[in-house]
Amino acid sequence: MRTDIQALRALAVTVVVAFHLWPGRVSGGYVGVDVFFVISGYLITLHLAQRPPTSIAGLADFWARRVRRLIPAAAVVLVATVVASRLWLPATQFADIGRQVVGSALYVQNWVLADSATDYLAAENAPTPVQHYWSLSIEEQFYLFWPILIAAVLAFRRAWLPLVTVAVFAASLAWSIRLTDIDPGAAYFVTPARVWELLLGALVAIAVHRGVTLPRWRGPVALVGLAMITYAVFWFDRATAFPGSAALVPTVGAALVLLAAVDTRGPWEARSIQLVGDWSYPIYLWHWPLVVITPLALGVDKTLRTDAVVLVLTIVLSGLTVHFIERPLRFHPYLVARKRATFAMLAASTALTCGAAWALTAAPDGTEDSGLAMTPVEAKADQPAVYPDDCWASAPFTTHPVCHYGDEDSDQRVALIGNSHAGHWQPALDEVATERGWALDTYLASQCYTVDLDIAFPNPKSTRNCRAWNAESLQRIIDSDPSLVVISNRTRTLPLAGLEQPEADRVAQAAYADTLDTLTDEGIPVLVIRDTPAAAGSVPDCVALNADDPAVCERPRDEAVEPDPLAAAGRADDSGLVSVLDVTDRLCDDETCRFVVGDQIAYFDHGHLTATFSRELAPEVDEAARKAIRSAA
């Protein structure tokens, strides 16, 4: 292997690990994955160009080599991660982990995560220790279809290979740019929006195979490529619209380094750098499960000390994997001589991994005798009907779903509007509406709170569309002539564009006052429900880990109760049509907020009421709603 390629691998895996350990310092370290994509596309295409598959047997030989190289280590890490998860992670995460382990074993993990990325609540779940397999899934899918396409093109007309590669590359890049604009969550994971990065490496390989070299410019070209990667590593961050056109910076940089093919002696030949490059695959496999699990296994918060433990364990386990799993099986004479044995190993590894995932999801959560009305696993699943009923507009807010509950034919209509912190009041309002014979209509948008201002979403299109969504929803509500509007929001879910605290809260309060005026000017009474306290993390996860002492999950009131500009605007309103309901005291005393109330786990995550606990609050909502309607009369 070329020493410069091994050094590039070492750089890629180093920045990925650094990003996962210290995201504030290496804010764009995630681009290391993109560098890997380019390297993989280059190496595989160069191999296929030098030894093109001309038959099904040739394709089988290629795939068998990929299986021996990649599958054993990946399967071992997956099974080890399942065991570690059972020992140290909360049972509330077992279902997600099991599902993603199966997705990883079948190399469709990127599609599993793309589906979750479109679901705000799923996206907010604690990261699983196997989610990093998404990139391996894209590579495996590439290894499956790319040699078939190359074989087909070479069989038809060899000269067309560069043109076909350019065409697929251009189509994928165009789709990546487009999808990043309209659905950035999906764009990050789906294969069609990512495969151009591997094909960029493929184009370099085709050029090299055809004799293209840079004898005079190798050094400068390589330095430009490294500068581009470095820029992305330190100047990109989570707010960068990615992949899209931004991904051209690190990937073109990697392509330039590969094309330069610097073969003179230099610091990149250092033994430590070459070793990290050689071990880059198991380092990538092991580091992320260790990042997720180590603090919980040690029973401490993440610190520099736990980071050091993660780094040491990553190197040790990677070395053991290389010497006792990867190399012995990759070059085992029996497997090399018998493709059927190789594919049998693949089937056995997949079956073992999926079986381990099933066993994890079937494991008891250990809290059945805790005296709680429901287990943490049940509480996590106890979500309002607006989630399974798909009543949400999600970024980039191109849809306007309205769901109906209660008596749809009633003359008294109640409209519920806001973000997810309005949505968790649907069970209480539904119970009230059913009892009173009212109709309930929901106007809900994930993270988009109800102000006529720009909210700083990562995607500018979402910022524009959220503002437009609010305006259109308010008009729809006015046109429906409701007897009452109920509004609730978490305002600090995302900042206002260009503003910081405390100015942002003051501006938001003024904007909420305008929103309330829009409704009260039409004579519509409004019930503002103050936002609920925020837990420090997932309440079901915390209870699952501390079933014997749920007090661990409590939080000081001055930390849990965030300022609520909407409630402040409601209290300041002088129209006589706005009232405010505040249930904070149901969860908090003067000093502490408790998220296990009586025998009820109150939240299904860090800040959303379970459907059961929402219904527990229906009497307060009923009284406040009827009082608000009477005020208009």
Side-chain angles (χ1 to χ4, degrees), residues 141 278 573:
Q141 292 160 33
D278 189 37
D573 184 88

mmCIF file of all heavy atoms in Angstrom, residues 141 278 573:
data_model
loop_
_atom_site.group_PDB
_atom_site.id
_atom_site.type_symbol
_atom_site.label_atom_id
_atom_site.label_comp_id
_atom_site.label_asym_id
_atom_site.label_seq_id
_atom_site.Cartn_x
_atom_site.Cartn_y
_atom_site.Cartn_z
ATOM 1 N N GLN A 141 -22.678 -1.250 -0.191
ATOM 2 C CA GLN A 141 -23.615 -1.141 -1.313
ATOM 3 C C GLN A 141 -22.876 -0.758 -2.595
ATOM 4 O O GLN A 141 -23.189 -1.258 -3.676
ATOM 5 C CB GLN A 141 -24.691 -0.116 -0.977
ATOM 6 C CG GLN A 141 -25.636 -0.562 0.136
ATOM 7 C CD GLN A 141 -26.372 0.582 0.780
ATOM 8 O OE1 GLN A 141 -26.705 1.575 0.143
ATOM 9 N NE2 GLN A 141 -26.620 0.462 2.086
ATOM 10 N N ASP A 278 -2.857 1.640 8.842
ATOM 11 C CA ASP A 278 -3.067 0.210 8.663
ATOM 12 C C ASP A 278 -4.214 -0.298 9.534
ATOM 13 O O ASP A 278 -4.968 -1.194 9.141
ATOM 14 C CB ASP A 278 -1.782 -0.531 9.000
ATOM 15 C CG ASP A 278 -1.845 -2.000 8.634
ATOM 16 O OD1 ASP A 278 -2.440 -2.334 7.594
ATOM 17 O OD2 ASP A 278 -1.298 -2.822 9.396
ATOM 18 N N ASP A 573 -50.574 40.331 28.113
ATOM 19 C CA ASP A 573 -51.642 40.709 27.189
ATOM 20 C C ASP A 573 -52.793 41.376 27.955
ATOM 21 O O ASP A 573 -53.193 40.921 29.035
ATOM 22 C CB ASP A 573 -52.151 39.463 26.458
ATOM 23 C CG ASP A 573 -53.187 39.786 25.410
ATOM 24 O OD1 ASP A 573 -52.795 40.066 24.266
ATOM 25 O OD2 ASP A 573 -54.392 39.771 25.753
#
